[in-house]
């Protein structure tokens, strides 16, 4: 669970993993987020406001998160508090206003007939923030948790004037000022924000809230970003020594788990987020099947586990005392954070990234004369062109031989 702050944040709410109630701190007008586990085992989050009406403590429901955002819940709480201060009960609808009785007088000269009112009802205003929440509620269940977190983080970096604007009236002139300050100086952040904005506008178009997305015009107006700098990788010849350093650098059980996760990444050539999210139920003998929901390419990936990789799993089981739930599990039962293998690399004094192990393996495979189709399948890359169309097998048997050779070399 995320570290508790005095005031609630979207990040803290996302990190709630157990039932409980958390207040919005001083000045929150009694606003709280309540996490409740349903009979189906799902954790739901609901807004509730504790107020005093007529001398009695009362709880007002303000809707479910994330359909009602933190900003919207605070606005509702403030509105209710103001109504109570004026002596009103926010639970009761505003009474209909009765027109005063007409005064009988001499008939006035007939005025020109007013034009008939337009029978078309006024369009309700939908803000960009509301469109974002609707988009995430629709697409979120099919997204990877990390993707949802990236969208929420990007949304949190948008200014209030942007998220509160009418999504139907926004144009490229609203989007450009948000991206220009970070597009070249922080390319990754710029791409993430643009992706979130584009996804929201695409939803708005599909939902009939607007006719077109301004994102294409913005892309054309923005300058090219600097070329991507590849992540540093351990040299092939240094791989055995690097893995030895990872094992030797751990001083505590927590550090030991992080080091084993980094070694597992190295021996399987998977991404760190795929390894830290691994579950014991996904492992069948010497084969680990990563579900499509955790794969970047949205396709399940079978990973042949070498003898060295199986030894790592044995070490994890002895360390945690469990073979259920997540493989790399914290004491709370949650998966190890995806940044921890990188933390282990840094602790071991390695000037390389955990993700870079994929490049190390790929270079080793090329040096060993491994065919490109087998090497690319090992790191879950799709084969392009006609060859890819006809290549339906994941070459598991051939990859198992290659991963065993890689494990023997890398683990010494």
């Amino acid at each position: 669970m995320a570290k508790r702050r005095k005031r609630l944040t979207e990040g803290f709410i996302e990190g709630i993993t157990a039932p409980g109630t958390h207040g919005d701190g001083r000045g929150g007008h009694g606003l709280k987020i309540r996490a409740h586990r349903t009979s189906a085992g799902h954790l739901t989050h609901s807004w509730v406001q504790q107020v005093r009406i007529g001398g009695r403590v009362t709880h007002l429901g303000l809707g479910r998160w994330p359909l009602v955002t933190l900003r919207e819940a605070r606005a509702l709480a403030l509105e209710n508090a103001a109504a109570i201060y004026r002596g009103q009960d926010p639970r009761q609808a505003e009474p209909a206003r009765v027109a005063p009785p007409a005064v009988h007088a001499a008939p006035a000269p007939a005025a020109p007939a007013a034009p008939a009112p337009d029978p078309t009802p006024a369009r309700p205003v939908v803000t960009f923030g509301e469109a974002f929440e609707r988009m995430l509620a629709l697409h979120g269940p099919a997204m990877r948790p990390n993707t949802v977190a990236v969208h929420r983080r990007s949304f949190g970096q948008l200014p209030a004037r942007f998220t509160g604007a009418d999504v139907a009236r926004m144009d490229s002139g609203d989007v450009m000022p948000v991206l220009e300050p970070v597009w070249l100086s922080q390319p990754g952040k710029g791409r993430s924000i643009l992706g979130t904005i584009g996804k929201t506008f695409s939803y708005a178009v599909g939902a009939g809230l607007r006719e077109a997305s301004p994102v294409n015009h913005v892309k054309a107006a923005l300058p090219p970003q600097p070329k991507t700098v590849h992540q540093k990788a351990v040299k092939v010849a240094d791989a055995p020594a690097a893995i030895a350093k990872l094992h030797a650098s751990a001083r505590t059980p927590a550090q030991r788990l992080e080091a084993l996760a980094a070694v597992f990444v190295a021996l399987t050539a998977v991404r760190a987020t795929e390894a830290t999210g691994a579950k014991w139920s996904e492992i069948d003998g010497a084969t680990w099947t990563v579900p499509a929901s955790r794969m970047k390419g949205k396709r399940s990936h079978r990973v042949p586990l070498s003898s060295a990789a199986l030894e790592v799993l044995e070490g994890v089981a002895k360390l945690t005392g469990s073979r259920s739930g997540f493989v790399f599990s914290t004491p709370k039962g949650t998966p190890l954070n995806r940044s921890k293998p990188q933390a282990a690399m840094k602790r071991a004094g390695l000037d390389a990234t955990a993700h870079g192990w994929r490049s190390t393996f790929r270079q080793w495979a090329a040096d060993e004369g491994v065919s490109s189709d087998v090497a690319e399948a090992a790191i879950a890359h799709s084969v392009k062109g006609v060859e890819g169309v006809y290549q339906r097998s994941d070459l598991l048997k051939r990859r198992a031989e290659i991963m065993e050779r890689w494990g023997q070399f890398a683990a010494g």
Side-chain angles (χ1 to χ4, degrees):
M1 183 182 295
K3 186 177 180 182
R4 180 73 171 94
R5 296 179 173 86
K6 292 183 179 180
R7 297 297 302 273
L8 291 173
T9 65
E10 291 285 357
F12 172 78
I13 298 171
E14 289 176 14
I16 297 175
T17 58
T21 302
H22 308 273
D24 195 26
R26 181 177 297 178
H29 304 290
L31 179 64
K32 301 177 183 180
I33 187 75
R34 177 176 294 168
H36 169 72
R37 197 170 299 281
T38 66
S39 57
H42 302 298
L43 198 67
T44 63
H45 304 72
S46 300
W47 293 109
V48 63
Q49 182 183 10
Q50 180 176 317
V51 296
R52 186 178 293 274
I53 302 175
R56 301 182 62 179
V57 175
T58 304
H59 292 85
L60 307 177
L62 304 182
R64 289 179 56 185
W65 179 90
L67 299 180
V68 177
T69 66
L70 174 58
R71 184 184 291 109
E72 292 167 341
R74 283 174 172 163
L76 290 172
L78 177 61
E79 183 179 338
N80 290 340
I84 294 172
Y85 179 78
R86 293 191 297 266
Q88 301 171 347
D89 189 340
R91 297 171 298 180
Q92 299 177 357
E94 182 178 354
R97 296 185 178 180
V98 180
V103 178
H104 295 286
D118 185 359
T120 304
R123 178 186 62 84
V125 173
V126 177
T127 66
F128 180 90
E130 292 169 339
F132 169 79
E133 292 297 343
R134 294 181 186 181
M135 178 277 293
L136 213 54
L138 181 64
H139 293 278
M143 293 179 179
R144 293 188 299 169
N146 181 51
T147 303
V148 175
V150 169
H151 278 308
R152 287 213 170 274
R153 183 166 60 249
S154 298
F155 178 81
Q157 294 166 339
L158 298 173
R161 67 179 182 279
F162 188 94
T163 59
D166 184 351
V167 73
R169 298 182 178 275
M170 299 175 74
D171 56 27
S172 55
D174 298 301
V175 181
M176 280 292 289
V178 174
L179 291 169
E180 282 181 309
V182 298
W183 186 249
L184 295 178
S185 61
Q186 298 175 276
K189 179 179 179 179
R191 289 193 299 271
S192 295
I193 292 177
L194 179 60
T196 297
I197 292 175
K199 191 82 172 175
T200 303
F201 276 126
S202 295
Y203 165 81
V205 172
L209 301 177
R210 57 181 297 127
E211 294 184 358
S213 171
V215 168
N216 289 335
H217 298 292
V218 173
K219 288 181 178 179
L222 289 169
Q225 288 186 324
K227 291 184 177 180
T228 302
V229 178
H230 294 289
Q231 300 194 46
K232 292 184 178 180
V234 172
K235 294 181 180 179
V236 173
D238 297 336
I243 288 183
K245 288 181 179 180
L246 283 169
H247 284 298
S249 64
R251 297 288 183 269
T252 66
Q255 293 178 359
R256 178 67 178 161
L257 187 67
E258 295 170 6
L260 288 172
V263 174
F264 191 70
V265 168
L267 296 176
T268 55
V270 299
R271 299 174 180 85
T273 185
E274 294 158 7
T276 54
K279 298 179 180 179
W280 287 105
S281 59
E282 297 169 354
I283 299 172
D284 182 11
T287 302
W288 167 37
T289 303
V290 187
S293 60
R294 288 214 316 280
M295 291 297 297
K296 183 178 181 180
K298 298 297 183 182
R299 296 172 58 185
S300 62
H301 177 51
R302 292 195 296 175
V303 182
L305 300 174
S306 63
S307 301
L310 290 172
E311 287 182 10
V312 170
L313 294 180
E314 287 296 325
V316 173
K318 291 179 181 178
L319 181 65
T320 62
S322 174
R323 288 182 181 271
S324 62
F326 293 101
V327 175
F328 300 98
S329 176
T330 67
K332 294 181 179 180
T334 57
L336 194 67
N337 188 283
R338 65 192 181 102
S339 66
K340 295 304 182 182
Q342 179 57 40
M345 297 283 287
K346 185 177 181 179
R347 189 182 304 115
L350 300 175
D351 185 23
T353 65
H355 190 83
W357 279 113
R358 290 165 59 82
S359 297
T360 306
F361 165 79
R362 189 63 181 85
Q363 184 60 55
W364 171 87
D367 295 343
E368 291 291 307
V370 178
S371 61
S372 61
D373 57 341
V374 175
E376 290 296 286
I379 56 178
H381 278 178
S382 300
V383 179
K384 306 297 183 182
V386 176
E387 183 182 1
V389 173
Y390 289 98
Q391 180 59 273
R392 302 296 177 87
S393 169
D394 65 355
L395 308 173
L396 182 65
K397 185 176 180 180
R398 292 170 63 187
R399 288 194 291 119
E401 299 171 358
I402 298 304
M403 298 311 290
E404 182 64 29
R405 287 168 52 191
W406 165 246
Q408 291 178 7
F409 165 75

